[in-house]
């Protein structure tokens, strides 16, 4: 009698183990199936042409962003006297450009130099202008004035190089101007010089722009 009870208990235990294994297998199959459904939905979503187009545009923007170079022109320190002593902050003047006619300037201010440079880079990337270039030089002579700064920019024949000093050389390099003569006629303050140079670059006009404004062809302008 006792042996019969043991056999019954053993059979019941075996059945319980079998049922548990089947339930576990069923749960795994259901989870795998739901995962396959999600994967198939995701793959179908990736085939959406609009999403593919957006991803390509984003990749192009990232690639174009990586082509922009930056250069720190000047780092200044500003001290503010307060009751407990002096508080020091830093300013960073940064020039950014792609070397193909686009250049920008930015001024960053922060309590630490790296933060100031980062802010200056962001500002320079946001404030970029198009500079018309004729071959390797600028189309014509311009005089940029900003505050006490005056910067003269004159075209030069190929092979002359960039005859400029300090901040103006960095601006020409970032803009892609390879031959130019420049002269600072006013303040030597880096901020005034950079702003004056940008005012001069904004005055530049290509031959196509002049012909369009006058309503003539390029041949008629040249004569």
């Amino acid at each position: 009698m006792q042996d019969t009870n043991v056999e019954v208990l053993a059979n019941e235990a075996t059945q319980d183990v079998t049922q548990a294994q089947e339930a576990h297998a069923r749960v795994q199959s259901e989870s795998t199936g739901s995962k396959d459904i999600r994967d198939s939905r995701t793959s179908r979503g990736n085939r959406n042409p609009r999403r593919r187009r957006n991803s390509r545009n984003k990749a192009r923007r990232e690639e174009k962003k990586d082509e922009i170079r930056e250069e720190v022109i000047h780092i200044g320190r500003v001290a503010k006297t307060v009751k407990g002593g002096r508080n020091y902050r830093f300013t960073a003047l940064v020039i950014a450009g792609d070397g193909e006619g686009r250049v920008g300037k930015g001024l960053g201010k922060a309590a630490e130099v790296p933060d100031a440079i980062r802010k200056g880079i962001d500002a320079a990337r946001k404030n970029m202008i198009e500079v018309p270039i004729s071959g390797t030089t600028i189309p014509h002579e311009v005089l940029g004035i900003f505050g006490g700064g005056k910067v003269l920019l004159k075209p030069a024949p190929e092979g002359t190089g960039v005859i400029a000093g300090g901040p103006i050389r960095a601006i020409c390099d970032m803009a892609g101007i390879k031959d130019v003569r420049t002269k600072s006629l006013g303040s030597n303050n880096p901020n005034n010089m950079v702003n004056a140079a940008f005012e001069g670059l904004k005055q530049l006009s290509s031959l196509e722009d002049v012909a369009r404004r006058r309503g003539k062809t390029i041949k008629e302008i040249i004569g």
Side-chain angles (χ1 to χ4, degrees):
M1 186 69 178
Q2 186 175 1
D3 294 338
T4 304
N5 293 334
V6 171
E7 292 177 359
V8 172
L9 293 175
N11 291 333
E12 292 178 353
T14 303
Q15 291 177 359
D16 294 339
V17 171
T18 303
Q19 292 176 357
Q21 291 176 349
E22 291 176 353
H24 181 65
R26 189 164 54 252
V27 170
Q28 284 186 337
S29 63
E30 291 177 356
S31 62
T32 304
S34 61
K35 183 179 180 181
D36 293 340
I37 293 173
R38 289 195 301 270
D39 293 341
S40 64
R41 290 176 179 174
T42 304
S43 62
R44 285 198 300 270
N46 291 335
R47 289 197 297 268
N48 190 332
R50 180 175 296 178
R51 292 187 180 182
R52 288 203 306 271
R53 195 183 311 117
N54 292 337
S55 62
R56 286 197 299 266
N57 292 338
K58 184 177 180 181
R60 288 171 186 159
R61 286 195 300 269
E62 292 295 333
E63 183 179 357
K64 190 173 183 180
K65 184 177 179 181
D66 293 336
E67 293 175 355
I68 298 176
R69 298 178 292 118
E70 305 95 6
E71 184 174 345
V72 180
I73 300 300
H74 176 72
I75 294 178
R77 189 181 70 170
V78 179
K80 179 181 179 181
T81 304
V82 295
K83 184 176 181 180
R86 289 186 176 181
N87 291 337
Y88 292 99
R89 293 179 65 83
F90 297 92
T91 60
L93 183 61
V94 182
I95 304 297
D98 59 359
E100 297 179 357
R102 296 179 68 240
V103 65
K105 61 180 175 64
L107 183 66
K109 300 179 182 180
E112 300 293 337
V113 174
D115 294 335
I117 294 175
R118 177 178 52 80
K119 291 181 180 180
I121 291 174
D122 293 340
R125 286 175 177 267
K126 292 178 181 178
N127 303 317
M128 300 191 76
I129 62 173
E130 295 284 346
V131 179
I133 299 176
S134 177
T136 59
T137 187
I138 57 178
H140 53 86
E141 179 180 330
V142 291
L143 176 64
I145 301 175
F146 183 90
K150 293 182 181 180
V151 175
L152 177 66
L153 297 97
K154 301 177 68 175
E158 187 174 356
T160 303
V162 178
I163 301 178
I168 312 303
R169 172 178 289 274
I171 294 173
C172 295
D173 290 340
M174 292 297 172
I177 302 172
K178 297 180 175 58
D179 300 295
V180 67
R181 291 188 176 95
T182 67
K183 179 67 177 178
S184 176
L185 304 175
S187 171
N188 291 328
N189 182 285
N191 290 285
N192 287 337
M193 291 177 65
V194 168
N195 289 323
F198 269 84
E199 290 298 322
L201 294 176
K202 291 177 183 178
Q203 299 174 23
L204 292 174
S205 297
S206 64
L207 192 58
E208 292 80 3
D209 295 335
V210 175
R212 191 183 307 111
R213 286 199 300 266
R214 295 185 182 180
K216 298 182 179 181
T217 63
I218 296 178
K219 292 182 179 180
E220 293 175 346
I221 296 294
I222 296 176

